Amino acid sequence: MTLFSGLSAFPITPMTPSGELIAADLSRLARRIEAGGAASIGLLGSTGTYMFLGQEQRRRAVATAVGAVSSIPVIVGVGAMRTDDAESLARDAATEGAAGLLLAPVSYTPLTEGEVFEHFLAVASASDLPLCIYSNPGTTNFTFRPDFVARLAAIPTVAAIKLPLPSSGDIAADLAAFRQAAPGLSVGYSGDWGCKEALLAGADCWFSVIGGLFPERAAALTAAAMKGDREEADRHDAVFAGLWDLIRANGSLRLMYAAANLLELTDAQPPRPLLGVGEELRAKIASALPI
């Protein structure tokens, strides 16, 4: 199995209100993911609030997660507003034992394709680690066209792409377009409620928020869908139906903090200015947890 395949589980990054990493809680989450059968840990993704953390906070998180597990690789988000900062984060991740990198073209000012290409070229050159393109147009205001992804795929260390669910709803056509444009890339999806269909359509990876808290159930769903067993995949997917509805209505980040609190895995809250969920939504989350 290649690095960017199967279930890649994305945990939150537990921090104190003053911004200190709660290393024991992150270690607990990482070990839970490993024991649950995920293929990799996706550290410091959007669920891991990477853009709210400084370089030293992120370095410590990588060291903690890598040190907590022994049998699965850790993929680390290294997105930053400045190219030189992203290069430094990539070098830190490599030094601390990361197996791969995840890079989104974050910027206050929307970037051109030329700017994104130079950004990726620089960050990819900062280490020898394989790099996954992180397409998240909802937060970056940048959309990766298949033709542009083909250009990025010529960079030697670019190995994969993490895609959002297509707005058209036609995952098979979206997957085919990226496969045709960049046949050497691993293609995976986020947007948990639709990833069963993405895997059944032949996607390589599920970049999963839910997997960060419920890796065993998410791994079972992944295995069934990648085998093409729709009936079994539907059965595993059904246990998440309540959470899918809540995530689609409210987003996933705040919900995952609330779920982690309810599971007594951490008392950490989202970094300010983000606020936790209200009591009414918390009760709905508690009722929807697949436990």
Side-chain angles (χ1 to χ4, degrees), residues 167-243:
S167 58
S168 67
D170 192 341
I171 296 174
D174 190 68
L175 176 60
F178 283 96
R179 288 261 193 253
Q180 182 177 4
L185 287 189
S186 170
V187 181
Y189 285 85
S190 57
D192 279 16
W193 61 89
C195 284
K196 176 195 70 175
E197 295 300 328
L199 292 171
L200 285 166
D204 299 299
C205 189
W206 175 15
F207 297 98
S208 175
V209 171
I210 285 292
L213 291 180
F214 304 101
E216 188 170 354
R217 290 185 180 275
L221 170 55
T222 301
M226 293 188 78
K227 288 189 299 184
D229 188 338
R230 176 172 287 277
E231 182 177 355
E232 184 72 359
D234 285 345
R235 185 176 71 82
H236 289 297
D237 188 64
V239 304
F240 292 119
L243 277 178

Side-chain angles (χ1 to χ4, degrees), residues 99-145:
L101 306 175
L102 179 66
L103 179 63
V106 293
S107 180
Y108 181 80
T109 301
L111 300 175
T112 67
E113 287 188 349
E115 289 165 340
V116 170
F117 182 83
E118 293 298 327
H119 182 65
F120 270 77
L121 182 62
V123 178
S125 301
S127 82
D128 294 328
L129 295 180
L131 186 149
C132 179
I133 301 164
Y134 183 5
S135 176
N136 191 351
T139 59
T140 64
N141 294 309
F142 185 87
T143 299
F144 286 90
R145 298 181 303 105

